[in-house]
Amino acid sequence: MAAQTKSGAGKANDNRKAVHDLVYQELRQSIMVGTFTPGEKVSLRSVAQQMGTSLTPVRGAVNRLIAEGAFEVLPNRWVMIPPMTEKKFDEIIYWRTQLEMEATRRACSNVTRRLVARVESINRKLHEVVRQGRDRKDLLNENYKFHFAIYRHSKSTILLPMIESLWLQCGPFTYYSLSSPGRLWDGGHHEEIIAALKAGDGERAAKAVRGDITSTAEFLKSSGQYTRPRLRRVVG
């Protein structure tokens, strides 16, 4: 009987850990695709309600994300995205470019028909969002899927966490790129990346990734919005 009780407790702990990890991963990805923007105060209770879970796993996830620099704590115990400086932005873009180009080169060495079909499908969805005039926030989500489908194919357990860390810090600021001219989201760089993947040309693919990253960065710098926290809404 005691053994059964201990076994039951172990399963309960495993279930709790799975819930905590799931909430953390979902919240982490939401930050990377611009769901939360600079200056937006976030209520943990509201996030828990939106995710259909209790406050405990959300609090644990947020504490992990604070440690990673994705959130900062406000005096009232709410959290928000930390502000950005020009120096920090430039450094993030520099390292994003270096790491994502290398991940793309490695993905080209491991390219499969399945990967090509996957990124082609994602890019078609991105074009549909633009063509149908849907909520342009969907672009950020499809863009995330496109890039990380490739980076995961690098088969590197070192590169991927570093890239994710940089996206955590700059992802919210890409929200401002949605106000850019249409050509920034015309899929041109993605088409070039796909063509290079098909050809197995790592350098060509890496160059296209660099162009994709820097074109967005240049728009954000020219607009100046990335350094100005702006309250979009209060989640509370």
Side-chain angles (χ1 to χ4, degrees), residues 7-202:
S7 176
K11 288 180 180 178
N13 287 335
D14 288 344
N15 289 338
R16 279 195 293 271
K17 184 179 185 303
V19 170
H20 281 241
D21 288 344
L22 180 61
V23 170
Y24 166 71
Q25 292 296 339
E26 288 187 1
L27 193 53
R28 196 170 187 260
Q29 182 173 332
S30 293
I31 295 171
M32 284 193 273
V33 299
T35 299
F36 303 106
T37 57
E40 178 178 356
K41 294 186 290 184
V42 181
S43 161
L44 273 60
R45 190 174 302 279
S46 179
V47 171
Q49 291 174 349
Q50 292 173 15
M51 299 184 75
T53 188
S54 68
L55 191 58
T56 300
V58 171
R59 185 181 291 114
V62 167
N63 285 338
R64 290 172 69 178
L65 290 164
I66 290 170
E68 293 181 59
F71 279 131
E72 67 178 23
V73 185
L74 299 174
N76 59 6
R77 299 302 299 171
W78 285 26
V79 296
M80 67 178 288
I81 300 296
M84 182 68 72
T85 64
E86 183 175 1
K87 181 178 179 181
K88 181 180 178 181
F89 185 80
D90 286 345
E91 188 168 6
I92 288 172
I93 295 303
Y94 173 80
W95 286 113
R96 269 198 63 192
T97 302
Q98 300 304 310
L99 297 175
E100 291 175 45
M101 287 176 69
E102 180 58 25
T104 303
R105 291 187 190 98
R106 295 187 180 208
C108 274
S109 298
N110 302 317
V111 70
T112 63
R113 291 180 180 178
R114 186 174 181 178
L115 172 62
V116 172
R118 170 71 174 150
V119 294
E120 284 184 321
S121 175
I122 295 169
N123 209 42
R124 282 195 297 271
K125 291 179 181 177
L126 190 149
H127 282 297
E128 287 174 9
V129 172
V130 175
R131 185 174 63 254
Q132 295 173 5
R134 286 158 42 194
D135 189 337
R136 295 190 79 189
K137 287 183 293 183
D138 289 343
L139 288 171
L140 298 180
N141 193 44
E142 296 303 328
N143 186 60
Y144 166 86
K145 291 177 183 178
F146 180 90
H147 283 276
F148 278 88
I150 296 170
Y151 303 154
R152 291 188 185 101
H153 224 74
S154 70
K155 309 298 184 183
S156 172
T157 58
I158 303 299
L159 279 171
L160 197 60
M162 291 193 292
I163 293 171
E164 289 178 339
S165 176
L166 293 173
W167 274 61
L168 263 182
Q169 295 178 68
C170 73
F173 297 87
T174 60
Y175 173 83
Y176 297 133
S177 71
L178 297 181
S179 63
S180 66
R183 66 178 180 277
L184 193 63
W185 289 102
D186 67 359
H189 290 298
H190 286 192
E191 298 290 350
E192 179 65 13
I193 293 168
I194 291 169
L197 284 173
K198 288 180 176 179
D201 190 335

